[in-house]
PDB file of all heavy atoms in Angstrom:
ATOM      1  N   LYS A   1      92.892 100.930  75.556  1.00 97.00           N
ATOM      2  CA  LYS A   1      92.010  99.721  75.453  1.00 97.00           C
ATOM      3  C   LYS A   1      92.432  98.763  76.578  1.00 97.00           C
ATOM      4  O   LYS A   1      91.517  98.110  77.165  1.00 97.00           O
ATOM      5  CB  LYS A   1      92.240  99.105  74.109  1.00 97.00           C
ATOM      6  CG  LYS A   1      91.621  99.802  72.962  1.00 97.00           C
ATOM      7  CD  LYS A   1      91.942  99.029  71.641  1.00 97.00           C
ATOM      8  CE  LYS A   1      91.375  99.784  70.444  1.00 97.00           C
ATOM      9  NZ  LYS A   1      91.747  99.039  69.164  1.00 97.00           N
ATOM     10  N   LEU A   2      93.712  98.636  76.789  1.00 97.00           N
ATOM     11  CA  LEU A   2      94.185  97.736  77.874  1.00 97.00           C
ATOM     12  C   LEU A   2      93.688  98.151  79.256  1.00 97.00           C
ATOM     13  O   LEU A   2      93.240  97.346  80.086  1.00 97.00           O
ATOM     14  CB  LEU A   2      95.694  97.640  77.859  1.00 97.00           C
ATOM     15  CG  LEU A   2      96.333  96.605  78.846  1.00 97.00           C
ATOM     16  CD1 LEU A   2      95.847  95.253  78.634  1.00 97.00           C
ATOM     17  CD2 LEU A   2      97.840  96.692  78.749  1.00 97.00           C
ATOM     18  N   TRP A   3      93.669  99.479  79.539  1.00 98.00           N
ATOM     19  CA  TRP A   3      93.165 100.020  80.748  1.00 98.00           C
ATOM     20  C   TRP A   3      91.661  99.693  80.866  1.00 98.00           C
ATOM     21  O   TRP A   3      91.179  99.196  81.960  1.00 98.00           O
ATOM     22  CB  TRP A   3      93.441 101.463  80.905  1.00 98.00           C
ATOM     23  CG  TRP A   3      92.767 102.098  82.126  1.00 98.00           C
ATOM     24  CD1 TRP A   3      91.962 103.181  82.122  1.00 98.00           C
ATOM     25  CD2 TRP A   3      92.899 101.739  83.528  1.00 98.00           C
ATOM     26  NE1 TRP A   3      91.495 103.506  83.412  1.00 98.00           N
ATOM     27  CE2 TRP A   3      92.113 102.600  84.278  1.00 98.00           C
ATOM     28  CE3 TRP A   3      93.598 100.707  84.161  1.00 98.00           C
ATOM     29  CZ2 TRP A   3      92.001 102.528  85.631  1.00 98.00           C
ATOM     30  CZ3 TRP A   3      93.495 100.575  85.548  1.00 98.00           C
ATOM     31  CH2 TRP A   3      92.688 101.465  86.270  1.00 98.00           C
ATOM     32  N   ASP A   4      90.931  99.879  79.852  1.00 97.00           N
ATOM     33  CA  ASP A   4      89.503  99.620  79.867  1.00 97.00           C
ATOM     34  C   ASP A   4      89.259  98.137  80.139  1.00 97.00           C
ATOM     35  O   ASP A   4      88.344  97.761  80.890  1.00 97.00           O
ATOM     36  CB  ASP A   4      88.822  99.986  78.585  1.00 97.00           C
ATOM     37  CG  ASP A   4      88.751 101.528  78.389  1.00 97.00           C
ATOM     38  OD1 ASP A   4      88.901 102.268  79.359  1.00 97.00           O
ATOM     39  OD2 ASP A   4      88.543 101.986  77.227  1.00 97.00           O
ATOM     40  N   ALA A   5      90.091  97.257  79.565  1.00 97.00           N
ATOM     41  CA  ALA A   5      89.918  95.810  79.760  1.00 97.00           C
ATOM     42  C   ALA A   5      90.330  95.361  81.121  1.00 97.00           C
ATOM     43  O   ALA A   5      89.730  94.456  81.686  1.00 97.00           O
ATOM     44  CB  ALA A   5      90.748  95.045  78.690  1.00 97.00           C
ATOM     45  N   SER A   6      91.361  96.022  81.714  1.00 97.00           N
ATOM     46  CA  SER A   6      91.845  95.580  83.015  1.00 97.00           C
ATOM     47  C   SER A   6      91.270  96.318  84.203  1.00 97.00           C
ATOM     48  O   SER A   6      91.394  95.813  85.338  1.00 97.00           O
ATOM     49  CB  SER A   6      93.376  95.749  82.992  1.00 97.00           C
ATOM     50  OG  SER A   6      93.783  97.106  82.841  1.00 97.00           O
ATOM     51  N   ARG A   7      90.657  97.440  83.958  1.00 98.00           N
ATOM     52  CA  ARG A   7      90.124  98.205  85.113  1.00 98.00           C
ATOM     53  C   ARG A   7      89.238  97.468  86.066  1.00 98.00           C
ATOM     54  O   ARG A   7      89.404  97.568  87.294  1.00 98.00           O
ATOM     55  CB  ARG A   7      89.486  99.513  84.609  1.00 98.00           C
ATOM     56  CG  ARG A   7      88.927 100.368  85.752  1.00 98.00           C
ATOM     57  CD  ARG A   7      88.576 101.810  85.348  1.00 98.00           C
ATOM     58  NE  ARG A   7      88.182 102.557  86.562  1.00 98.00           N
ATOM     59  CZ  ARG A   7      88.097 103.829  86.615  1.00 98.00           C
ATOM     60  NH1 ARG A   7      88.425 104.555  85.549  1.00 98.00           N
ATOM     61  NH2 ARG A   7      87.789 104.441  87.735  1.00 98.00           N
ATOM     62  N   PRO A   8      88.274  96.713  85.565  1.00 97.00           N
ATOM     63  CA  PRO A   8      87.418  95.956  86.556  1.00 97.00           C
ATOM     64  C   PRO A   8      88.211  95.077  87.476  1.00 97.00           C
ATOM     65  O   PRO A   8      87.908  94.980  88.719  1.00 97.00           O
ATOM     66  CB  PRO A   8      86.514  95.160  85.600  1.00 97.00           C
ATOM     67  CG  PRO A   8      86.444  95.930  84.366  1.00 97.00           C
ATOM     68  CD  PRO A   8      87.820  96.494  84.198  1.00 97.00           C
ATOM     69  N   ALA A   9      89.251  94.407  86.962  1.00 96.00           N
ATOM     70  CA  ALA A   9      90.081  93.492  87.778  1.00 96.00           C
ATOM     71  C   ALA A   9      90.902  94.313  88.758  1.00 96.00           C
ATOM     72  O   ALA A   9      91.073  93.891  89.930  1.00 96.00           O
ATOM     73  CB  ALA A   9      90.947  92.617  86.876  1.00 96.00           C
ATOM     74  N   VAL A  10      91.426  95.462  88.290  1.00 97.00           N
ATOM     75  CA  VAL A  10      92.240  96.267  89.140  1.00 97.00           C
ATOM     76  C   VAL A  10      91.336  96.889  90.276  1.00 97.00           C
ATOM     77  O   VAL A  10      91.730  96.853  91.475  1.00 97.00           O
ATOM     78  CB  VAL A  10      92.891  97.447  88.395  1.00 97.00           C
ATOM     79  CG1 VAL A  10      93.517  98.490  89.322  1.00 97.00           C
ATOM     80  CG2 VAL A  10      93.909  96.935  87.389  1.00 97.00           C
ATOM     81  N   GLU A  11      90.144  97.338  89.947  1.00 98.00           N
ATOM     82  CA  GLU A  11      89.191  97.862  90.938  1.00 98.00           C
ATOM     83  C   GLU A  11      88.871  96.861  91.977  1.00 98.00           C
ATOM     84  O   GLU A  11      88.779  97.146  93.139  1.00 98.00           O
ATOM     85  CB  GLU A  11      87.987  98.370  90.217  1.00 98.00           C
ATOM     86  CG  GLU A  11      88.201  99.736  89.454  1.00 98.00           C
ATOM     87  CD  GLU A  11      86.899 100.265  88.886  1.00 98.00           C
ATOM     88  OE1 GLU A  11      85.965  99.465  88.620  1.00 98.00           O
ATOM     89  OE2 GLU A  11      86.793 101.521  88.755  1.00 98.00           O
ATOM     90  N   LYS A  12      88.608  95.627  91.539  1.00 97.00           N
ATOM     91  CA  LYS A  12      88.218  94.529  92.413  1.00 97.00           C
ATOM     92  C   LYS A  12      89.362  94.276  93.481  1.00 97.00           C
ATOM     93  O   LYS A  12      89.117  94.110  94.638  1.00 97.00           O
ATOM     94  CB  LYS A  12      87.886  93.308  91.622  1.00 97.00           C
ATOM     95  CG  LYS A  12      87.471  92.117  92.437  1.00 97.00           C
ATOM     96  CD  LYS A  12      87.150  90.895  91.599  1.00 97.00           C
ATOM     97  CE  LYS A  12      86.749  89.722  92.467  1.00 97.00           C
ATOM     98  NZ  LYS A  12      86.457  88.504  91.575  1.00 97.00           N
ATOM     99  N   LYS A  13      90.605  94.199  92.934  1.00 97.00           N
ATOM    100  CA  LYS A  13      91.734  93.990  93.850  1.00 97.00           C
ATOM    101  C   LYS A  13      91.883  95.110  94.795  1.00 97.00           C
ATOM    102  O   LYS A  13      92.064  94.894  96.041  1.00 97.00           O
ATOM    103  CB  LYS A  13      92.966  93.781  92.963  1.00 97.00           C
ATOM    104  CG  LYS A  13      94.231  93.505  93.832  1.00 97.00           C
ATOM    105  CD  LYS A  13      94.114  92.181  94.618  1.00 97.00           C
ATOM    106  CE  LYS A  13      95.341  91.901  95.433  1.00 97.00           C
ATOM    107  NZ  LYS A  13      95.233  90.629  96.211  1.00 97.00           N
ATOM    108  N   LEU A  14      91.842  96.305  94.344  1.00 98.00           N
ATOM    109  CA  LEU A  14      92.021  97.457  95.206  1.00 98.00           C
ATOM    110  C   LEU A  14      90.850  97.551  96.231  1.00 98.00           C
ATOM    111  O   LEU A  14      91.096  97.852  97.434  1.00 98.00           O
ATOM    112  CB  LEU A  14      92.057  98.811  94.489  1.00 98.00           C
ATOM    113  CG  LEU A  14      93.296  99.030  93.615  1.00 98.00           C
ATOM    114  CD1 LEU A  14      93.193 100.266  92.817  1.00 98.00           C
ATOM    115  CD2 LEU A  14      94.606  99.028  94.476  1.00 98.00           C
ATOM    116  N   ALA A  15      89.678  97.212  95.854  1.00 98.00           N
ATOM    117  CA  ALA A  15      88.505  97.200  96.797  1.00 98.00           C
ATOM    118  C   ALA A  15      88.737  96.226  97.902  1.00 98.00           C
ATOM    119  O   ALA A  15      88.334  96.529  99.066  1.00 98.00           O
ATOM    120  CB  ALA A  15      87.202  96.876  96.008  1.00 98.00           C
ATOM    121  N   SER A  16      89.386  95.096  97.600  1.00 98.00           N
ATOM    122  CA  SER A  16      89.621  94.095  98.603  1.00 98.00           C
ATOM    123  C   SER A  16      90.672  94.592  99.666  1.00 98.00           C
ATOM    124  O   SER A  16      90.813  94.008 100.745  1.00 98.00           O
ATOM    125  CB  SER A  16      90.079  92.760  97.965  1.00 98.00           C
ATOM    126  OG  SER A  16      91.477  92.898  97.530  1.00 98.00           O
ATOM    127  N   GLN A  17      91.373  95.635  99.259  1.00 98.00           N
ATOM    128  CA  GLN A  17      92.383  96.224 100.143  1.00 98.00           C
ATOM    129  C   GLN A  17      91.926  97.526 100.796  1.00 98.00           C
ATOM    130  O   GLN A  17      92.707  98.338 101.331  1.00 98.00           O
ATOM    131  CB  GLN A  17      93.724  96.473  99.333  1.00 98.00           C
ATOM    132  CG  GLN A  17      94.267  95.180  98.732  1.00 98.00           C
ATOM    133  CD  GLN A  17      95.431  95.432  97.819  1.00 98.00           C
ATOM    134  OE1 GLN A  17      95.559  96.431  97.187  1.00 98.00           O
ATOM    135  NE2 GLN A  17      96.394  94.466  97.796  1.00 98.00           N
ATOM    136  N   GLY A  18      90.621  97.801 100.625  1.00 98.00           N
ATOM    137  CA  GLY A  18      90.052  98.996 101.236  1.00 98.00           C
ATOM    138  C   GLY A  18      90.346 100.312 100.507  1.00 98.00           C
ATOM    139  O   GLY A  18      90.380 101.375 101.041  1.00 98.00           O
ATOM    140  N   LEU A  19      90.476 100.150  99.166  1.00 98.00           N
ATOM    141  CA  LEU A  19      90.815 101.342  98.344  1.00 98.00           C
ATOM    142  C   LEU A  19      89.764 101.481  97.210  1.00 98.00           C
ATOM    143  O   LEU A  19      89.264 100.496  96.645  1.00 98.00           O
ATOM    144  CB  LEU A  19      92.202 101.152  97.660  1.00 98.00           C
ATOM    145  CG  LEU A  19      93.370 101.095  98.689  1.00 98.00           C
ATOM    146  CD1 LEU A  19      94.609 100.577  98.012  1.00 98.00           C
ATOM    147  CD2 LEU A  19      93.587 102.431  99.366  1.00 98.00           C
ATOM    148  N   VAL A  20      89.497 102.762  96.849  1.00 98.00           N
ATOM    149  CA  VAL A  20      88.516 103.036  95.800  1.00 98.00           C
ATOM    150  C   VAL A  20      89.353 103.635  94.606  1.00 98.00           C
ATOM    151  O   VAL A  20      90.070 104.585  94.818  1.00 98.00           O
ATOM    152  CB  VAL A  20      87.468 104.056  96.238  1.00 98.00           C
ATOM    153  CG1 VAL A  20      86.569 104.485  95.067  1.00 98.00           C
ATOM    154  CG2 VAL A  20      86.629 103.519  97.385  1.00 98.00           C
ATOM    155  N   THR A  21      89.228 102.991  93.424  1.00 98.00           N
ATOM    156  CA  THR A  21      89.942 103.516  92.250  1.00 98.00           C
ATOM    157  C   THR A  21      89.330 104.786  91.714  1.00 98.00           C
ATOM    158  O   THR A  21      88.158 104.913  91.596  1.00 98.00           O
ATOM    159  CB  THR A  21      89.877 102.420  91.160  1.00 98.00           C
ATOM    160  OG1 THR A  21      90.386 101.215  91.658  1.00 98.00           O
ATOM    161  CG2 THR A  21      90.691 102.880  89.913  1.00 98.00           C
ATOM    162  N   LEU A  22      90.166 105.797  91.492  1.00 98.00           N
ATOM    163  CA  LEU A  22      89.705 107.018  90.902  1.00 98.00           C
ATOM    164  C   LEU A  22      90.027 107.121  89.394  1.00 98.00           C
ATOM    165  O   LEU A  22      89.147 107.266  88.556  1.00 98.00           O
ATOM    166  CB  LEU A  22      90.344 108.257  91.628  1.00 98.00           C
ATOM    167  CG  LEU A  22      89.883 108.441  93.107  1.00 98.00           C
ATOM    168  CD1 LEU A  22      90.500 109.709  93.693  1.00 98.00           C
ATOM    169  CD2 LEU A  22      88.369 108.414  93.252  1.00 98.00           C
ATOM    170  N   TYR A  23      91.307 107.064  89.038  1.00 98.00           N
ATOM    171  CA  TYR A  23      91.655 107.097  87.598  1.00 98.00           C
ATOM    172  C   TYR A  23      93.086 106.671  87.392  1.00 98.00           C
ATOM    173  O   TYR A  23      93.842 106.461  88.345  1.00 98.00           O
ATOM    174  CB  TYR A  23      91.448 108.555  87.083  1.00 98.00           C
ATOM    175  CG  TYR A  23      92.352 109.623  87.586  1.00 98.00           C
ATOM    176  CD1 TYR A  23      93.500 109.949  86.875  1.00 98.00           C
ATOM    177  CD2 TYR A  23      92.085 110.338  88.746  1.00 98.00           C
ATOM    178  CE1 TYR A  23      94.368 110.947  87.311  1.00 98.00           C
ATOM    179  CE2 TYR A  23      92.911 111.339  89.192  1.00 98.00           C
ATOM    180  CZ  TYR A  23      94.100 111.656  88.436  1.00 98.00           C
ATOM    181  OH  TYR A  23      94.937 112.649  88.862  1.00 98.00           O
ATOM    182  N   ALA A  24      93.440 106.510  86.125  1.00 98.00           N
ATOM    183  CA  ALA A  24      94.803 106.164  85.766  1.00 98.00           C
ATOM    184  C   ALA A  24      95.216 106.971  84.561  1.00 98.00           C
ATOM    185  O   ALA A  24      94.416 107.281  83.691  1.00 98.00           O
ATOM    186  CB  ALA A  24      94.884 104.657  85.475  1.00 98.00           C
ATOM    187  N   VAL A  25      96.510 107.285  84.528  1.00 98.00           N
ATOM    188  CA  VAL A  25      97.082 108.049  83.382  1.00 98.00           C
ATOM    189  C   VAL A  25      98.453 107.437  83.032  1.00 98.00           C
ATOM    190  O   VAL A  25      99.274 107.119  83.872  1.00 98.00           O
ATOM    191  CB  VAL A  25      97.293 109.522  83.761  1.00 98.00           C
ATOM    192  CG1 VAL A  25      98.121 110.256  82.722  1.00 98.00           C
ATOM    193  CG2 VAL A  25      95.953 110.239  83.939  1.00 98.00           C
ATOM    194  N   PRO A  26      98.666 107.225  81.698  1.00 98.00           N
ATOM    195  CA  PRO A  26     100.006 106.593  81.277  1.00 98.00           C
ATOM    196  C   PRO A  26     101.155 107.589  81.257  1.00 98.00           C
ATOM    197  O   PRO A  26     100.955 108.796  81.043  1.00 98.00           O
ATOM    198  CB  PRO A  26      99.616 106.078  79.894  1.00 98.00           C
ATOM    199  CG  PRO A  26      98.685 107.113  79.377  1.00 98.00           C
ATOM    200  CD  PRO A  26      97.851 107.554  80.567  1.00 98.00           C
ATOM    201  N   TRP A  27     102.282 107.025  81.346  1.00 96.00           N
ATOM    202  CA  TRP A  27     103.520 107.746  81.039  1.00 96.00           C
ATOM    203  C   TRP A  27     103.730 107.610  79.512  1.00 96.00           C
ATOM    204  O   TRP A  27     103.160 106.754  78.854  1.00 96.00           O
ATOM    205  CB  TRP A  27     104.699 107.077  81.719  1.00 96.00           C
ATOM    206  CG  TRP A  27     104.758 107.312  83.232  1.00 96.00           C
ATOM    207  CD1 TRP A  27     104.093 106.558  84.131  1.00 96.00           C
ATOM    208  CD2 TRP A  27     105.435 108.287  83.924  1.00 96.00           C
ATOM    209  NE1 TRP A  27     104.348 107.030  85.377  1.00 96.00           N
ATOM    210  CE2 TRP A  27     105.162 108.091  85.340  1.00 96.00           C
ATOM    211  CE3 TRP A  27     106.304 109.344  83.546  1.00 96.00           C
ATOM    212  CZ2 TRP A  27     105.735 108.936  86.313  1.00 96.00           C
ATOM    213  CZ3 TRP A  27     106.831 110.156  84.533  1.00 96.00           C
ATOM    214  CH2 TRP A  27     106.584 109.980  85.883  1.00 96.00           C
ATOM    215  N   PRO A  28     104.634 108.480  78.946  1.00 95.00           N
ATOM    216  CA  PRO A  28     104.957 108.307  77.558  1.00 95.00           C
ATOM    217  C   PRO A  28     105.653 106.949  77.392  1.00 95.00           C
ATOM    218  O   PRO A  28     106.089 106.321  78.326  1.00 95.00           O
ATOM    219  CB  PRO A  28     105.933 109.431  77.302  1.00 95.00           C
ATOM    220  CG  PRO A  28     105.562 110.510  78.322  1.00 95.00           C
ATOM    221  CD  PRO A  28     105.134 109.736  79.534  1.00 95.00           C
ATOM    222  N   PRO A  29     105.745 106.468  76.135  1.00 95.00           N
ATOM    223  CA  PRO A  29     106.293 105.127  75.861  1.00 95.00           C
ATOM    224  C   PRO A  29     107.710 105.046  76.407  1.00 95.00           C
ATOM    225  O   PRO A  29     108.494 105.958  76.491  1.00 95.00           O
ATOM    226  CB  PRO A  29     106.311 105.075  74.313  1.00 95.00           C
ATOM    227  CG  PRO A  29     105.177 105.941  73.916  1.00 95.00           C
ATOM    228  CD  PRO A  29     105.197 107.105  74.894  1.00 95.00           C
ATOM    229  N   GLN A  30     108.062 103.815  76.797  1.00 94.00           N
ATOM    230  CA  GLN A  30     109.363 103.502  77.443  1.00 94.00           C
ATOM    231  C   GLN A  30     110.497 103.228  76.448  1.00 94.00           C
ATOM    232  O   GLN A  30     110.297 102.586  75.458  1.00 94.00           O
ATOM    233  CB  GLN A  30     109.225 102.280  78.334  1.00 94.00           C
ATOM    234  CG  GLN A  30     108.096 102.405  79.402  1.00 94.00           C
ATOM    235  CD  GLN A  30     108.408 103.417  80.417  1.00 94.00           C
ATOM    236  OE1 GLN A  30     109.198 103.136  81.376  1.00 94.00           O
ATOM    237  NE2 GLN A  30     107.804 104.597  80.377  1.00 94.00           N
ATOM    238  N   GLY A  31     111.636 103.767  76.759  1.00 96.00           N
ATOM    239  CA  GLY A  31     112.828 103.585  75.905  1.00 96.00           C
ATOM    240  C   GLY A  31     114.016 103.258  76.837  1.00 96.00           C
ATOM    241  O   GLY A  31     113.923 103.230  78.058  1.00 96.00           O
ATOM    242  N   ILE A  32     115.164 103.103  76.249  1.00 97.00           N
ATOM    243  CA  ILE A  32     116.401 102.696  76.989  1.00 97.00           C
ATOM    244  C   ILE A  32     117.433 103.878  77.050  1.00 97.00           C
ATOM    245  O   ILE A  32     117.754 104.424  75.987  1.00 97.00           O
ATOM    246  CB  ILE A  32     117.061 101.449  76.351  1.00 97.00           C
ATOM    247  CG1 ILE A  32     116.081 100.333  76.266  1.00 97.00           C
ATOM    248  CG2 ILE A  32     118.297 101.060  77.197  1.00 97.00           C
ATOM    249  CD1 ILE A  32     116.576  99.138  75.400  1.00 97.00           C
ATOM    250  N   TYR A  33     117.836 104.192  78.228  1.00 98.00           N
ATOM    251  CA  TYR A  33     118.932 105.165  78.431  1.00 98.00           C
ATOM    252  C   TYR A  33     120.217 104.419  78.706  1.00 98.00           C
ATOM    253  O   TYR A  33     120.251 103.425  79.459  1.00 98.00           O
ATOM    254  CB  TYR A  33     118.579 106.061  79.664  1.00 98.00           C
ATOM    255  CG  TYR A  33     117.406 106.987  79.462  1.00 98.00           C
ATOM    256  CD1 TYR A  33     116.151 106.533  79.805  1.00 98.00           C
ATOM    257  CD2 TYR A  33     117.590 108.243  78.960  1.00 98.00           C
ATOM    258  CE1 TYR A  33     115.024 107.390  79.690  1.00 98.00           C
ATOM    259  CE2 TYR A  33     116.481 109.136  78.810  1.00 98.00           C
ATOM    260  CZ  TYR A  33     115.210 108.664  79.171  1.00 98.00           C
ATOM    261  OH  TYR A  33     114.149 109.536  79.032  1.00 98.00           O
TER     262      TYR A  33
END
């Protein structure tokens, strides 16, 4: 849900830097070692 909400803003920023967004994939949840 967060990616869906943030993707337009991320795409806009990357486009201003000459980049086209393809996709995003998460890592498993973060813990402490």
Side-chain angles (χ1 to χ4, degrees):
K1 288 180 182 178
L2 183 59
W3 172 234
D4 290 341
S6 61
R7 180 167 184 160
V10 171
E11 287 185 332
K12 182 179 178 182
K13 180 62 181 181
L14 290 177
S16 74
Q17 299 174 329
L19 298 167
V20 176
T21 304
L22 293 184
Y23 68 94
V25 170
W27 289 85
Q30 305 290 283
I32 303 168
Y33 292 91

